[in-house]
Amino acid sequence: MRVLWNRTCQGTLRSCLATAYTALLLGSIFTAAIELDLEDPESIKSAAKTAAHGMMQFYTGNNTGDVPGNLPPPYYWWEAGAMFGSLVDYYYYTNDSQYNDVTTQALLFQVGPNRDYMTPNQTKTEGNDDQGFWGMAVMSAAEQKFPDPPSDQPQWLSLAQAVFNSQALRWDTQYCNGGLRWQIFTFNTGYDYKNTISNGAFFNLGARLAKYTGNQTYADWAEKTWDWVESVGFIKTPEYYFYDGGHTTLNCTDINRIQWSYNPAVFLLGAAHMYNYTNGSDKWRQRVEGILNGTNLFFSPDVKDVMYEVACEGPKTCNTDNKSFKAYLSRWMAATTKLAPFTFDLIMPKLRASAAAAALQCSGGTDGKTCGLRWTEGAKWDGSTGVGEQMSAMEVFQSILITKVEAPVTNNTGGTSKGDPSAGTGGTSGQPGLVPNAVTKKDKVGAGILTTLVLMGVIGGSWWIVA
């Protein structure tokens, strides 16, 4: 690849390099290890296909003797749910069905005996956020008309409802005046922590279920969850900073102010659904705009509009979980444009620049197409590889196709997935979320997504964004 130097650049070497690199990204055709033409849908699909193939090299659940739906160490169960959610997206954007069977197998194998993604073999690692990622994956399957399971199997919509209802049972007013805990089982580290991503996934599901089913009770829960997260200080307005969480032992006053990109991302899509569900209410428009403005934190100040994980990419301390977070920011920013079309012109330049940068970074490994983590570093592969890196590249590539796909369906606009409003409640209620607020002994089950190191601060290894 040849980069033309701008001889009129009069700034510092760093600023001139940034200018040249940005100019490169704003072009249309990129000849990189993964070739990407942002104006050619087939080129975009090909790039996504290459990234998806690389991602699935890490999956062992379809091997003889392995467990469908699981990823091997060092990956936690939640990331497997996120990965299969990305493959639901892959089919939606590309119409390439090669991974549909393995995705359906995984999403059904992991449902657990009560069909709510509470699997007995994950009691040491499943938290509310983990369960939530599987719930959001099947919610996407319902919205995007991913092929329905056989009639004798649980259906996508009913599984999403089961996750939502089982979490509504865990809403805890004893500490911090509400909210979900990070962990579900009392014996897991982090049971005394309430975090933003667990509550964000619950909010996201509630908003999407409200839109899909038209049931106001889901919307009421979404409103309640937003109000609680804001009131406890996990969302700081008007900046729309999303902090990590706080401990129940201190009534959630010890807020961990580290910021991860998947927190505003999960709330952005939920807020966009609420904006759409409420027929464009000013309140939800303001929130969508606020969150979107707040995501500027996760785009490089040096390479215009290129996504980066601000808390760990600079100091090079991203752990396995963190390396996947750009996938969800890409995924939910693109989806937001369908629910809140006024965001399109703000979102798409960032996704296009990020996709171009990701294609350049997919230049490593023995195949010369392995995707790295730090998209801001150009075509020199940063040496990082894994499910998160591949998934992030795949999601940002295929997000460019958002104008080529239909809007998410609902019960009234062509949705085919069958629901069960009492799923996850033991069949005791025909309405979603009509459950006690108190957390009972029976309800305390699971563990989670961020590691204990994050809770302890990783003070020497992360950039702390504190306002």
Side-chain angles (χ1 to χ4, degrees), residues 313 316 323 326 360-364 370-385 389:
E313 283 193 27
K316 300 183 180 180
K323 292 176 181 179
K326 293 199 294 279
L360 289 170
Q361 183 56 211
C362 291
S363 59
T370 296
C371 298
L373 171 67
R374 291 183 287 278
W375 300 345
T376 55
E377 295 194 2
K380 182 180 179 180
W381 182 47
D382 67 2
S384 185
T385 180
E389 293 90 331

Side-chain angles (χ1 to χ4, degrees), residues 5 27 104 115 136 175 199 207 212 231 240 283 288 299 316 318 330 362 402:
W5 183 256
T104 297
R115 298 183 167 187
M136 290 185 289
Y175 298 96
N199 289 280
Y212 193 99
S231 69
Y240 285 88
K283 176 175 69 176
V288 170
F299 290 85
K316 300 183 180 180
C318 296
S330 302
C362 291
I402 191 66

Side-chain angles (χ1 to χ4, degrees), residues 1-16:
M1 180 185 301
R2 187 171 58 139
V3 180
L4 297 179
W5 183 256
N6 180 359
R7 295 180 181 175
T8 64
C9 181
Q10 300 298 319
T12 64
L13 175 61
R14 180 180 183 184
S15 67
C16 290

Side-chain angles (χ1 to χ4, degrees), residues 280-318:
S281 72
D282 290 341
K283 176 175 69 176
W284 285 106
R285 178 176 180 129
Q286 179 182 0
R287 289 172 174 174
V288 170
E289 290 175 335
I291 299 170
L292 194 53
N293 289 335
T295 63
N296 288 334
L297 180 68
F298 302 101
F299 290 85
S300 171
D302 298 319
V303 186
K304 183 176 171 59
D305 287 341
V306 172
M307 195 180 297
Y308 79 133
E309 197 62 45
V310 64
C312 65
E313 283 193 27
K316 300 183 180 180
T317 56
C318 296

